[in-house]
Amino acid sequence: MAIGFMLVYTKLSNVLSREALFYSCMLPFIAFFGVFAFFLYPNTNVIHPVGLADRLLEILGPNFLGPIAILRIWSFCLFYVMSELWGSVVVSLLFWGFANQITTVDEASQFYPLFGLGANVALIFSGRTVKFFSNLRKNLGPGVDGWALSLKGMMSIVVLLGLLICAIYWGVNKFVLNDPSIPKPEGRKKKKEKAKMGMVESMKFLLSSRYIRDLATLVVAYGISINLVEVTWKSKLKAQFPSPNEYSAFMGDFSTCTGIVTFTMMLLGRVIFRKYGWGVAAAITPTVLLITGVGFFSGLVQWSTDTIAWTTWYDSTSCGSLCWSHAEHF
């Protein structure tokens, strides 16, 4: 999905203006989250092809269990994919692309940390929102679909804030960037129109730059590492919190704590930048991931080994007791 989106985005960027491209990326996300909460989720019994999935599983066998499972609950899988793309597209691509467009290099060191602080303040409030709806579901009467209610509430907030983003973007472009009465800083010169390239030409251009190749390697390595840790960690969380409500409440608290810690680290990061430079600051994240990842997987392996050993001992003693009782009986 991410690769497909980038192909579409590259094509649209060659035919649309920057403003039209922004709205073309934002509005489908906003529409989908609204449609999912108010139409797709309440009608999952109708739109999910459970019978077809069962027949395909009988025909194709367990080797195709994964793709068939995706087909069985396709709307939930699509919601997960769109949620993951939201961070990559809206935050990484659209927001930072717009920030790079309107901010000079000299201004970046001043404003970019503030943008990051704002993002983590939002993470704190989003965690409290998830916790609020988790507690709300606890107090609902029998027969009430708490997930449907909380989903409608949270997705309504997403839709409203998404429309607010579009309104702010429109206002900045109309009343700020195009206002002749506002003096333009000397460092912000009008950029020349660059030649538009297709997907193949863009890839060749990017691969020809060692700097871009190194950045791409860094991003890919980060994505692989964080997903290996996150998927395993969330699987253990589901075992710890089997109730969806408990899991949701924990993730709300976790998001809030993450926002607070990241907010603090970003304030501390400015000191690290000034005192130790970019290299040390950039090395902190992979170093922390390496240390905590090794500790997490080592503990996980040890826990699994102890569990297997205990299970083997329990099975052997149970079998021994069972065999001894049969011997006495005979």
Side-chain angles (χ1 to χ4, degrees):
M1 287 290 291
I3 295 175
F5 175 84
M6 287 307 302
L7 292 174
V8 174
Y9 181 85
T10 303
K11 183 65 176 177
L12 290 177
S13 64
N14 290 330
V15 298
L16 297 177
S17 65
R18 284 177 177 171
E19 291 187 47
L21 181 63
F22 183 91
Y23 298 130
S24 298
C25 293
M26 276 291 299
L27 294 178
F29 279 98
I30 297 172
F32 172 79
F33 289 127
V35 169
F36 180 84
F38 290 93
F39 177 75
L40 294 180
Y41 183 82
N43 295 285
T44 51
N45 293 333
V46 178
I47 64 175
H48 285 173
V50 177
L52 174 61
D54 291 337
R55 289 194 296 272
L56 289 176
L57 188 60
E58 292 177 1
I59 297 171
L60 301 177
N63 290 333
F64 291 87
L65 180 61
I68 293 174
I70 294 174
L71 175 65
R72 184 189 300 272
I73 53 172
W74 66 268
S75 68
F76 297 159
C77 296
L78 184 58
F79 180 81
Y80 177 81
V81 170
M82 293 293 285
S83 301
E84 289 290 314
L85 283 177
W86 173 269
S88 301
V89 173
V90 177
V91 178
S92 301
L93 190 61
L94 298 182
F95 174 78
W96 287 111
F98 184 58
N100 292 334
Q101 175 191 340
I102 64 174
T103 308
T104 65
V105 175
D106 294 334
E107 293 171 338
S109 60
Q110 179 181 359
F111 290 107
Y112 280 19
L114 297 177
F115 295 157
L117 292 176
N120 286 286
V121 169
L123 186 59
I124 295 172
F125 282 104
S126 66
R128 292 297 86 199
T129 302
V130 173
K131 187 66 179 288
F132 169 79
F133 283 105
S134 298
N135 293 331
L136 181 66
R137 288 193 296 268
K138 291 181 182 178
N139 303 320
L140 296 176
V144 179
D145 190 348
W147 279 105
L149 183 64
S150 61
L151 189 65
K152 289 178 180 178
M154 287 188 286
M155 291 304 104
S156 296
I157 295 174
V158 171
V159 170
L160 291 175
L161 292 180
L163 294 175
L164 180 61
I165 291 172
C166 293
I168 293 174
Y169 181 80
W170 175 82
V172 169
N173 279 280
K174 183 173 181 60
F175 299 110
V176 179
L177 298 182
N178 295 325
D179 190 347
S181 64
I182 299 178
K184 301 293 187 296
E186 295 180 1
R188 185 182 294 128
K189 298 177 181 178
K190 188 173 182 179
K191 299 179 181 179
K192 297 179 180 179
E193 289 292 329
K194 298 179 180 179
K196 296 183 177 182
M197 298 180 290
M199 189 64 183
V200 176
E201 291 81 4
S202 299
M203 289 299 297
K204 289 180 179 178
F205 175 77
L206 294 177
L207 291 175
S208 64
S209 171
R210 180 181 176 183
Y211 179 73
I212 297 296
R213 290 200 306 269
D214 291 344
L215 282 178
T217 304
L218 186 149
V219 172
V220 171
Y222 166 79
I224 293 174
S225 302
I226 200 67
N227 278 286
L228 286 174
V229 175
E230 187 176 4
V231 169
T232 309
W233 176 68
K234 285 187 176 180
S235 68
K236 296 305 173 185
L237 274 185
K238 283 208 74 169
Q240 180 67 27
F241 302 102
S243 167
N245 207 57
E246 293 178 356
Y247 180 86
S248 178
F250 172 82
M251 291 304 295
D253 289 334
F254 179 76
S255 296
T256 300
C257 293
T258 301
I260 294 172
V261 172
T262 310
F263 185 91
T264 306
M265 290 303 298
M266 292 198 71
L267 292 175
L268 183 62
R270 303 187 69 176
V271 179
I272 296 174
F273 272 120
R274 287 197 301 265
K275 191 171 183 179
Y276 299 102
W278 169 258
V280 173
I284 291 177
T285 298
T287 302
V288 171
L289 180 60
L290 176 63
I291 294 173
T292 55
V294 168
F296 171 70
F297 283 109
S298 298
L300 189 62
V301 170
Q302 184 61 42
W303 177 83
S304 301
T305 303
D306 293 342
T307 302
I308 293 172
W310 183 86
T311 304
T312 304
W313 172 83
Y314 178 81
D315 290 342
S316 63
T317 53
S318 299
C319 180
S321 301
L322 183 61
C323 293
W324 180 254
S325 64
H326 277 288
E328 284 185 335
H329 174 74
F330 285 109

